[in-house]
């Protein structure tokens, strides 16, 4: 054993001795809370229901609501809690008012366990008690998620008030250790950076800093005058780089450069924590003034892992708990070795982590008054006491605020306390031995067979191992670009520059493998700056359309007989090329269709996903499959391609939707005439280039750019077109549907139409919904990409009980959105696609002004370009035009309803059924919404846009489409003709005993 390990064990054992001298359970408050936590640790299902109930409770106003939720959450629970619930519910039916209050009181008690005070006055009582115990404080203001600048300003004002109050009340307080006190002011305020700016976008740290710095300066200035300390808390990974950058920027300013009372948090569960800490230390040395780092493990482990899995991102956190522990110790060493410039504050309840810091500080000869331990209010009381007894500096992190805003904090703490991995549970609930708890985490890693630390460079490797798709999922999605990384931001900026240099390029049509020029070139313009031409494409007329049909028909013969594996590989090569060119393609979308960065990237990801997903699906359905095991007979079902497919795509997902329809048609053996939207022809030309490079044979894919009313209409009616895959407006879709029903002379096949059209998508906000989420997601659904998604929210249906609060937050959040040229990474709202769209949307806004009340319209949009400000109408009734007709722009109608019955009626009361959303925390209401809302894609408690291939097969019914599901398992069948081949294999009563499940392909016959 190393001497350091010996020291750690000795110190740890000493702490445990002191802790055990005043035995205390994990939860210092007995009774209800104790019981709930004990049950949560025994029963995972109960824990989930319990936390969800705690989460919703503060938003329930009536006792009857509380009881309904109680029943809904716990009805199926079979454990020690069942009798309490049963009795509670029975009693509640008799005296609902009393029971509701009792429950609320009990849960409030749980919250009070972790919240040091309701308001600044209230918290002083706690701080005085702690002072008597020689424990210092840092105060944190709890708040709802900040959705608007109004809310952010309120937070800043509350910070200032709190500072004033704390300074006033603690005027005569002194440092408990009375040594090195200049490093540790009595008043210490922990600030949440995301609460100071509602529009923080990880892709644009500079913009965030430009907004945050002016809000922080007055707080810092006042703190300095009052002799207080300001700490920047660390939140989710998305905000980490901005928070670090902000810290360095603002504390390098002349005014604050020599101020030592600044601190920031480093989270040891992050793989890049060490690099960040080294960078901070270098910065500190260059600055030349002391600063503080609070070292913690990190409070968002579950969130970060879920988020990364959902987006197929490299996961920023370690996967194994001992890896975080090891990193915590390494960072402890780094901090203590640089004690001359950085003061360490160790934020942990883990006695091993604490003992390590103590032992190492001694080894390095650092006096215990020169660093501190920080612990959370309401947790690990005996450890705090022991540390004080041992003469260490202890500071308690004290959250202040009301119950409702405090809920997310409370749930984080409950999770932490009941986590299988957590120290507190092991020590105080499971009574693990001191020896076990003080074990070297390296040893645990070795025992688990895990590699120790992975550096940032190993991220890919580590994730590939740990984030594999669970068995059962056949498809793992491509990742989104994570713009939190500087290198992603830089790649995008340089792609924007490079694409800009190609604006003068001209692109030909491609027919039968030949580049075809016509005497007309169509320019494509940038909707943010309509004078800017993004590129030009030759314009096809009827002769080119005829030529394309002939080429596709001629190529069909061979392509239809190409084995499915080869066709699948073509798609995979195309996806690989897109992956290589993804920044360039995203940049093109920013210019050609006005997509914000992340939206453009999402489009390219979706295109790659379509290719890879359809390739995988083809392998599943490509081989003829036995229909039934019957002796003496073999019957195989399989598929043939339909023939020549015409693909007509919209501009709003200019590469993804085009690519999705094209790749489905190609991989199933059809030949294709690809017609991109007139507004996104350069994207279309790029997709053609990609498939050519991938090796699509001549004539198999033909690129025709031209006017829909001319070549589109001609080809739809063409006798030699067998299949039409269309995504676009209802008007054009219905015309295609109708026209395809007519059989023309010489036509071989009944035309098949895959038709996806628009929506008038509703989102319902229930009376108990989590408004932080409901409002943020509704705004994104309504105004993301300017509302130009067929899935976009256009009717927000709000229950009257919640209406005032929803509207207050919705309007101020909308007023905070950034509107402008999406070349800037943090823009939320860019331009609409063209002048025609601009005029049409304006007309709808005029109609809305006549029919309803204009509740909000943003001002100050850029003068050039087709910018329409986000617009919200209230007093909208279901029969109004703005509530029935698709607008396809940033216009939101809000409908107030009495109850959920009316909400569902209103939601279902249009011609469309594409997407819908429902925000609620009532399990019964969620079940109802799932069953009763008429939409092809129903989303609960999330945005109603952003379908992911394979995960959310996408498409609607009624006037939204023919019931097909792009990106779903059965989509390819739309492009195929099913066949069954049956053979009697009996000869004179003798038949083979075994029949293979699959057999070789029955390829389309060669025609002579
Ligand atoms: C005073 C104070 C201030 C804090 N401020 C912040 C802050 O600003 N930002 C912030 O994010 N957190 C903050 N925290 C919370 C802190 O990050 C931890 O969540 C918490 O303290 C638990 O860590 P521990 O060392 O006490 O306990 P332990 O039980 O030793 O560690 C639990 C921690 O291990 C990590 N972990 C759990 N499972 C795994 C796994 N499978 N793989 C890898 N790692 C895992 C997680 O970080 C988890 O919280 C603060 C904590 C304190 C005490």
């Amino acid at each position: 054993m190393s001497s350091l390990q010996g020291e750690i064990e000795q110190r740890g054992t000493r702490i445990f001795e002191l802790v055990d001298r005043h035995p205390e359970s994990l939860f210092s408050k007995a009774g209800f809370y104790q019981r709930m936590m004990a049950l949560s640790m025994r029963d995972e299902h109960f824990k989930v229901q319990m936390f969800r109930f705690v989460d919703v409770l503060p938003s329930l106003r009536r006792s009857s609501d509380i009881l309904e939720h109680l029943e809904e959450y716990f009805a199926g629970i079979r454990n020690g809690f069942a009798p309490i619930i049963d009795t509670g519910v029975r009693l509640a039916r008799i005296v609902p008012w009393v029971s509701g209050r009792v429950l609320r009181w009990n849960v409030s008690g749980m919250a009070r366990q972790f919240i040091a005070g309701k308001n600044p006055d209230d918290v002083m009582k706690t701080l005085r008690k702690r002072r008597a115990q020689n424990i210092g404080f840092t105060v944190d203001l709890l708040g709802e998620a900040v959705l608007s600048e109004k809310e952010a300003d309120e937070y800043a004002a509350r910070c200032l008030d709190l500072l004033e109050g704390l300074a006033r009340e603690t005027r005569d307080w002194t440092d408990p250790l009375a040594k090195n006190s200049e490093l540790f002011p009595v008043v210490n305020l922990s600030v949440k950076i995301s609460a100071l700016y509602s529009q923080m976008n990880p892709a644009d740290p500079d913009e965030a800093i430009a907004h945050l710095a002016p809000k922080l300066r007055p707080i810092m200035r006042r703190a300095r005058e009052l002799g207080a300390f300001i700490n920047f808390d660390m939140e989710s990974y998305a905000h980490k780089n901005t928070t670090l950058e902000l810290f360095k920027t603002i504390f390098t300013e002349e005014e604050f450069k020599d101020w030592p009372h600044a601190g920031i948090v480093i989270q040891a569960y992050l793989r890049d924590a060490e690099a960040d800490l080294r960078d901070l230390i270098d910065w500190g040395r260059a600055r030349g003034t002391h600063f503080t780092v609070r070292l913690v493990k990190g409070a968002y482990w579950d969130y970060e892992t879920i988020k990364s899995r959902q987006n197929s991102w490299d996961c920023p956190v370690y996967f194994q708990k001992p890896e975080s522990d090891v990193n915590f110790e390494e960072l402890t060493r780094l901090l203590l070795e640089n004690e001359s410039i950085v003061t360490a504050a160790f934020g942990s309840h883990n006695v091993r982590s604490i003992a390590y810091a103590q032992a190492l500080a001694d080894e390095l000869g650092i006096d215990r008054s020169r660093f501190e331990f920080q612990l959370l209010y309401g947790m690990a009381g005996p450890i705090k006491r022991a540390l004080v007894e041992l003469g260490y500096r202890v500071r308690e992190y004290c959250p202040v605020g009301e119950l409702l805003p405090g809920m997310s904090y409370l749930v984080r703490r409950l999770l932490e306390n009941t986590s299988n991995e957590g120290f507190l549970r092991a020590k105080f609930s499971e009574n693990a031995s001191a020896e076990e708890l003080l074990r070297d985490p390296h040893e645990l890693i070795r025992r688990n067979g895990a590699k120790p630390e992975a550096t940032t460079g190993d991220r890919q490797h580590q994730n590939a191992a740990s984030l594999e798709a669970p068995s059962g999922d056949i498809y793992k999605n491509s990742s989104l670009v994570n713009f939190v990384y500087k290198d992603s931001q830089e790649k995008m900026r340089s792609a924007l520059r490079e694409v800009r240099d190609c604006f003068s390029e001209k692109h030909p049509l491609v027919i039968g493998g030949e580049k075809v020029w016509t005497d007309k070139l169509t320019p494509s313009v940038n909707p943010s700056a309509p004078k800017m031409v993004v590129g030009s494409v030759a314009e096809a007329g009827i002769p080119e359309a005829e030529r394309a049909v002939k080429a596709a028909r001629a190529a069909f013969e061979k392509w239809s007989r190409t084995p499915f594996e080869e066709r699948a590989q073509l798609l995979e090569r195309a996806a690989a090329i897109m992956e290589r060119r993804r920044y360039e393609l995203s940049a093109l979308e920013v210019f050609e269709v006005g997509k914000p960065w992340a939206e453009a990237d999402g489009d390219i990801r979706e295109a790659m996903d379509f290719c890879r997903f359809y390739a995988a699906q083809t392998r599943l359905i490509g081989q003829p499959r036995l229909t039934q095991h019957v002796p003496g007979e073999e019957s195989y079902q399989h598929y043939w391609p339909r023939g020549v497919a015409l693909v007509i795509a919209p501009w709003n997902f200019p590469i993804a939707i085009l690519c999705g329809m094209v790749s489905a048609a190609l991989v199933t053996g059809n030949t294709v005439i690809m017609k991109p939207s007139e507004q996104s022809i350069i994207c279309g030309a790029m997709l053609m280039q990609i498939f050519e490079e991938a090796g699509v044979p001549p004539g198999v894919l033909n690129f025709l750019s031209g006017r829909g009313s001319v070549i589109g209409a001609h080809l739809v009616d063409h006798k030699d077109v067998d299949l039409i895959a269309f995504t676009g407006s209802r008007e054009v879709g219905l015309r295609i549907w109708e026209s395809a029903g007519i059989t023309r002379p010489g036509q071989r096949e009944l035309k098949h139409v895959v038709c996806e059209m628009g929506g008038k998508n509703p989102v319902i906000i229930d009376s108990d919904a989590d408004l932080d989420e409901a409002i943020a997601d509704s705004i994104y659904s309504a105004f993301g990409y300017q509302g130009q998604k067929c899935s976009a929210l256009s009717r927000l249906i709000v229950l009257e009980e919640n209406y005032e609060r929803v509207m207050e937050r919705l309007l101020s959040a909308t007023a905070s959105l950034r509107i402008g040229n999406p070349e800037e990474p943090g823009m939320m709202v860019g331009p609409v696609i063209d002048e025609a769209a601009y005029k049409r949307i304006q007309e709808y806004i005029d109609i809305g002004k006549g029919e309803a009340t204009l509740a909000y319209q943003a001002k100050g949009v850029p003068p050039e370009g087709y910018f329409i400000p986000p617009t919200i109408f209230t007093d909208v009734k279901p029969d109004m035009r703005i509530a029935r007709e698709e607008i396809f722009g940033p216009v939101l109608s809000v409908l107030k309803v009495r109850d959920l019955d009316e909400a569902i009626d209103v939601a279902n009361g249009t011609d469309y059924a594409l997407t819908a959303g429902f925000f609620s925390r009532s399990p019964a209401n969620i079940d109802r919404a799932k069953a009763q809302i008429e939409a092809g894609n129903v989303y609960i408690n999330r945005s109603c846009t952003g379908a992911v291939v394979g995960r959310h097969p996408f498409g609607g019914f009624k006037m939204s489409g023919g019931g097909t599901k792009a990106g779903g398992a059965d989509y390819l069948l739309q492009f195929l003709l099913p066949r069954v081949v049956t053979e009697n294999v009996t000869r004179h009563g003798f038949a083979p005993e075994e029949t293979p499940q699959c057999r070789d392909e029955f390829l389309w016959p060669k025609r002579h």
Side-chain angles (χ1 to χ4, degrees):
M1 192 199 302
S2 71
S3 64
L4 184 62
Q5 176 62 19
E7 280 293 313
I8 295 165
E9 287 182 9
Q10 209 182 343
R11 277 150 208 284
T13 309
R14 179 76 188 122
I15 297 175
F16 283 134
E17 278 166 16
L18 292 173
V19 164
D20 292 341
R21 210 181 280 166
H22 310 278
E24 195 175 289
S25 74
L26 171 48
F27 314 110
S28 41
K29 287 208 167 87
F32 180 82
Y33 177 58
Q34 189 96 289
R35 289 248 282 286
M36 293 305 99
M37 291 298 100
L39 282 166
S40 296
M41 285 188 256
R42 279 213 309 270
D43 181 340
E44 186 60 30
H45 177 57
F46 177 81
K47 174 170 154 180
V48 170
Q49 297 303 87
M50 162 75 187
F51 289 5
R52 288 183 171 181
F53 180 67
V54 165
D55 175 56
V56 68
L57 186 71
S59 69
L60 304 176
R61 288 174 204 110
R62 288 183 296 263
S63 292
S64 55
D65 289 339
I66 296 179
L67 292 166
E68 261 171 42
H69 281 73
L70 185 73
E71 253 185 307
E72 288 173 19
Y73 276 103
F74 296 101
I77 298 281
R78 284 282 147 255
N79 65 16
F81 194 50
I84 312 177
I85 292 283
D86 288 348
T87 319
V89 169
R90 245 179 292 125
L91 185 73
R93 289 211 184 93
I94 306 164
V95 277
W97 183 75
V98 176
S99 307
R101 278 179 61 125
V102 168
L103 258 174
R104 197 192 288 279
W105 183 80
N106 271 314
V107 174
S108 304
M110 283 165 68
R112 279 194 298 275
Q113 166 102 9
F114 301 106
I115 299 176
K118 278 203 292 276
N119 51 45
D121 288 341
D122 197 28
V123 79
M124 279 315 302
K125 289 183 216 139
T126 307
L127 304 188
R128 283 192 196 100
K129 273 191 220 148
R130 292 297 176 267
R131 184 186 177 213
Q133 299 163 337
N134 276 336
I135 294 177
F137 66 84
T138 177
V139 178
D140 154 60
L141 275 175
L142 293 171
E144 290 166 302
V146 161
L147 301 177
S148 66
E149 286 311 276
K150 180 169 167 270
E151 291 172 6
D153 291 343
E154 281 165 12
Y155 178 80
R158 284 172 62 213
C159 283
L160 272 172
D161 272 0
L162 184 61
L163 265 179
E164 297 290 348
L166 291 172
R168 194 176 50 245
E169 297 294 326
T170 61
R171 210 172 296 140
D172 53 348
W173 294 21
T174 49
D175 180 57
L177 296 192
K179 214 171 157 196
N180 288 314
S181 52
E182 71 286 355
L183 290 174
F184 304 95
V186 168
V187 175
N188 184 314
L189 180 70
S190 288
V191 180
K192 291 237 166 343
I193 297 305
S194 74
L196 285 166
Y197 182 38
S198 63
Q199 304 298 306
M200 269 176 88
N201 184 321
D204 201 352
D206 293 346
E207 190 273 343
I209 292 169
H211 276 81
L212 284 160
K215 291 196 188 155
L216 270 165
R217 279 187 206 108
I219 299 173
M220 288 163 47
R221 213 164 277 147
R222 191 65 190 130
R224 190 171 190 175
E225 284 161 12
L226 296 169
F229 183 100
I230 296 289
N231 191 77
F232 288 14
D233 279 4
M234 200 56 86
E235 302 167 75
S236 66
Y237 191 67
H239 296 321
K240 190 246 325 173
N241 287 345
T242 303
T243 307
L244 285 166
E245 232 13 80
L246 173 71
F247 182 78
K248 290 186 289 181
T249 306
I250 201 156
F251 286 105
T252 315
E253 288 177 3
E254 209 46 49
E255 183 180 358
F256 303 110
K257 208 173 160 190
D258 59 347
W259 188 36
H261 297 146
I264 189 159
V265 173
I266 289 283
Q267 296 156 316
Y269 67 5
L270 293 181
R271 295 170 194 279
D272 44 15
E274 183 184 332
D276 288 337
L277 182 55
R278 287 189 185 281
D279 179 68
L280 267 178
I281 291 169
D282 289 347
W283 164 83
R285 294 214 178 277
R287 175 178 175 248
T289 309
H290 236 271
F291 69 105
T292 296
V293 165
R294 179 198 300 152
L295 181 62
V296 302
K297 283 174 198 150
Y300 305 84
W301 189 88
D302 298 78
Y303 172 82
E304 301 296 359
T305 45
I306 290 170
K307 188 97 184 147
S308 326
R309 268 175 191 260
Q310 286 185 346
N311 294 329
S312 311
W313 279 338
D314 291 340
C315 190
V317 297
Y318 288 106
F319 294 124
Q320 296 200 37
K321 163 75 164 58
E323 292 179 295
S324 296
D325 293 334
V326 163
N327 203 33
F328 190 92
E329 294 186 3
E330 288 180 359
L331 300 177
T332 296
R333 178 176 284 279
L334 193 55
L335 278 174
L336 290 175
E337 284 175 350
N338 288 282
E339 194 274 340
S340 56
I341 191 70
V342 57
T343 304
F346 301 105
S348 174
H349 307 123
N350 184 324
V351 174
R352 158 83 205 190
S353 307
I354 291 171
Y356 179 90
Q358 293 178 352
L360 187 65
D362 263 13
E363 189 179 281
L364 297 172
I366 299 170
D367 188 85
R368 59 186 64 179
S369 65
R370 292 191 63 81
F371 57 93
E372 69 181 6
F373 291 104
Q374 297 190 355
L375 296 93
L376 298 176
Y377 175 82
M379 287 166 76
I383 300 178
K384 288 174 203 156
R385 211 166 23 230
L387 291 173
V388 172
E389 252 178 274
L390 292 168
Y392 286 96
R393 186 185 298 281
V394 177
R395 190 179 297 277
E396 193 170 62
Y397 184 97
C398 298
V400 182
E402 293 293 336
L403 186 57
L404 176 59
M407 268 307 130
S408 61
Y409 179 81
L410 170 63
V411 171
R412 268 209 306 281
R413 294 290 80 85
L414 294 181
L415 270 172
E416 207 160 279
N417 274 334
T418 52
S419 155
N420 287 328
E421 307 268 12
F423 173 87
L424 288 179
R425 174 173 174 170
K427 163 70 187 150
F428 294 99
S429 180
E430 285 159 7
N431 299 320
S433 68
E435 188 196 356
E436 205 177 312
L437 295 170
L438 294 173
R439 194 165 289 158
D440 183 349
H442 285 99
E443 211 183 287
L444 292 168
I445 295 178
R446 278 194 293 276
R447 205 168 63 186
N448 295 350
K451 291 202 190 98
E453 309 81 41
T455 60
T456 318
D458 296 332
R459 268 190 340 240
Q460 197 68 42
H461 173 79
Q462 281 276 324
N463 289 334
S466 309
L467 290 180
E468 265 171 16
S471 58
D473 292 3
I474 63 141
Y475 181 70
K476 187 162 177 279
N477 295 88
S478 317
S479 57
L480 286 166
V481 166
N482 190 348
F483 285 109
V484 81
Y485 298 114
K486 229 186 180 117
D487 65 331
S488 311
Q489 296 161 18
E490 276 160 12
K491 279 186 190 147
M492 188 65 186
R493 282 187 204 282
S494 88
L496 286 163
R497 279 192 300 273
E498 280 159 27
V499 169
R500 203 181 256 278
D501 289 342
C502 302
F503 280 173
S504 56
E505 277 183 18
K506 300 178 178 60
H507 304 275
L509 308 174
V510 180
I511 304 175
E514 284 175 32
K515 309 230 172 307
V516 175
W517 297 97
T518 58
D519 50 12
K520 231 172 154 188
L521 269 179
T522 315
S524 185
V525 302
N526 179 350
S528 302
K531 288 192 199 105
M532 182 188 286
V533 173
V534 175
S536 329
V537 182
E539 185 177 319
I542 304 293
E544 289 76 28
E546 281 295 326
R547 215 173 130 184
V549 177
K550 282 203 183 68
R553 177 62 55 204
F556 179 68
E557 192 79 6
K558 190 156 174 223
W559 185 242
S560 59
R561 283 185 286 106
T562 303
F564 67 82
E565 180 54 36
E566 279 181 42
R567 301 193 305 245
Q569 286 176 14
L570 170 76
L571 263 54
E572 286 167 341
R573 287 195 298 276
I577 297 165
M578 288 185 228
E579 186 108 55
R580 191 189 78 220
R581 295 178 60 180
R582 81 182 288 175
Y583 286 94
E584 172 209 339
L585 296 170
S586 296
L588 172 62
E589 292 199 3
V590 170
F591 288 120
E592 192 174 28
V593 297
K595 284 223 173 207
W597 288 19
E599 300 278 340
D601 176 68
D603 196 54
I604 310 306
R605 184 244 205 156
E606 191 175 359
M608 296 190 294
D609 271 346
F610 276 134
C611 288
R612 292 176 178 143
F613 179 75
Y614 291 148
Q617 290 296 323
T618 298
R619 293 191 179 104
L620 290 181
I621 61 167
Q623 272 192 314
R625 282 181 183 272
L626 190 68
T627 54
Q628 257 187 2
H629 285 276
V630 179
E633 189 180 281
E634 289 179 358
S635 263
Y636 288 94
Q637 173 155 352
H638 78 122
Y639 301 97
W640 270 349
R642 285 179 175 271
V644 172
L646 169 64
V647 169
I648 305 179
W651 47 265
N652 60 340
F653 291 90
I655 296 189
I657 294 184
L658 186 65
C659 177
M661 292 191 288
V662 163
S663 56
L666 287 178
V667 80
T668 44
N670 301 282
T671 52
V672 177
I673 302 168
M674 161 168 97
K675 192 201 123 7
S677 162
E678 285 143 69
Q679 288 85 350
S680 56
I681 49 181
I682 311 297
C683 287
M686 288 306 114
L687 189 64
M688 186 67 216
Q689 271 183 11
I690 288 162
F691 271 102
E692 283 186 303
E693 187 186 335
V696 70
V700 170
L701 177 61
N702 303 278
F703 169 57
L704 275 196
S705 164
R707 280 193 283 156
S709 56
V710 179
I711 56 167
H714 181 77
L715 288 170
V716 164
D717 293 346
H718 204 289
K719 72 176 174 54
D720 282 331
V721 168
D722 303 294
L723 163 73
I724 301 155
F726 168 81
T727 305
S729 70
R730 169 179 174 175
E731 186 197 347
V732 178
L734 292 185
R735 231 185 292 136
I736 291 175
W737 194 268
E738 193 179 311
S739 174
I742 301 169
T743 311
R744 275 125 187 136
Q747 188 171 322
R748 269 174 296 254
E749 296 282 349
L750 297 178
K751 275 186 217 255
H752 187 71
V753 182
V754 180
C755 185
E756 298 183 42
M757 303 180 290
K760 188 71 192 168
N761 309 305
V763 163
I764 300 172
I765 300 186
D766 203 356
S767 53
D768 66 350
D770 178 338
L771 294 192
D772 286 356
E773 279 179 7
I775 290 178
D777 288 346
S778 296
I779 285 191
Y780 175 69
S781 302
F783 303 125
Y785 191 39
Q786 298 79 266
Q788 300 176 114
K789 300 179 190 176
C790 49
S791 55
L793 158 64
S794 67
R795 296 178 296 143
L796 187 66
I797 302 168
V798 185
L799 269 67
E800 63 186 8
E801 198 175 332
N802 241 4
Y803 186 80
E804 296 306 323
R805 182 77 186 124
V806 169
M807 290 316 294
E808 185 194 330
R809 295 193 77 193
L810 177 77
L811 298 183
S812 56
T814 307
S816 306
L817 297 178
R818 294 187 66 211
I819 309 166
N821 189 329
E823 259 185 88
E824 287 299 312
M827 286 301 164
M828 164 84 178
V829 186
V832 300
I833 189 69
D834 62 10
E835 193 177 352
Y838 181 86
K839 285 188 177 148
R840 200 196 60 249
I841 299 166
Q842 291 292 11
E843 276 166 26
Y844 270 109
I845 292 176
D846 289 341
I847 292 169
K849 285 178 184 164
E851 290 181 317
T853 306
L854 178 66
Y856 177 75
Q857 186 167 49
K859 294 190 180 62
V861 299
E864 203 202 351
Y866 305 118
F867 289 92
I868 295 202
T871 305
I872 297 178
F873 287 105
T874 49
D875 299 323
V876 179
K877 299 285 169 260
D879 57 348
M880 291 178 180
R881 284 186 64 191
I882 56 165
R884 284 186 294 111
E885 296 173 18
E886 192 181 27
I887 302 175
F888 223 64
V891 180
L892 178 64
S893 298
V894 182
L895 297 97
K896 178 157 63 164
V897 292
R898 226 176 20 259
D899 53 23
L900 190 56
D901 290 333
E902 190 183 348
I904 292 178
D905 281 349
V906 170
N908 291 342
T910 68
D911 294 346
Y912 297 94
L914 187 49
T915 71
F918 183 56
F919 286 91
S920 174
R921 286 180 286 189
S922 154
N925 289 356
I926 290 174
D927 282 349
R928 254 191 89 186
K930 283 179 180 168
Q932 293 178 1
I933 295 183
E934 290 174 8
N937 289 71
V938 177
Y939 295 102
I940 310 293
N941 288 330
R942 51 150 284 171
S943 64
C944 67
T945 62
V948 174
V949 171
R951 198 177 303 164
H952 316 116
F954 184 79
F957 45 93
K958 286 163 77 176
M959 288 304 126
S960 292
T964 52
K965 283 291 195 187
D970 45 8
Y971 186 65
L972 293 186
L973 301 184
Q974 301 293 327
F975 294 76
L976 289 163
L977 293 164
R979 272 180 100 228
V980 173
V981 175
T982 305
E983 181 184 351
N984 173 8
V985 290
T986 318
R987 298 285 184 278
H988 300 291
F990 161 77
E993 271 188 14
E994 279 189 13
T995 315
Q997 193 63 35
C998 299
R999 52 151 300 158
D1000 291 343
E1001 266 179 286
F1002 303 120
L1003 291 171
W1004 184 274
K1006 199 171 174 111
R1007 296 235 168 97
H1008 297 288

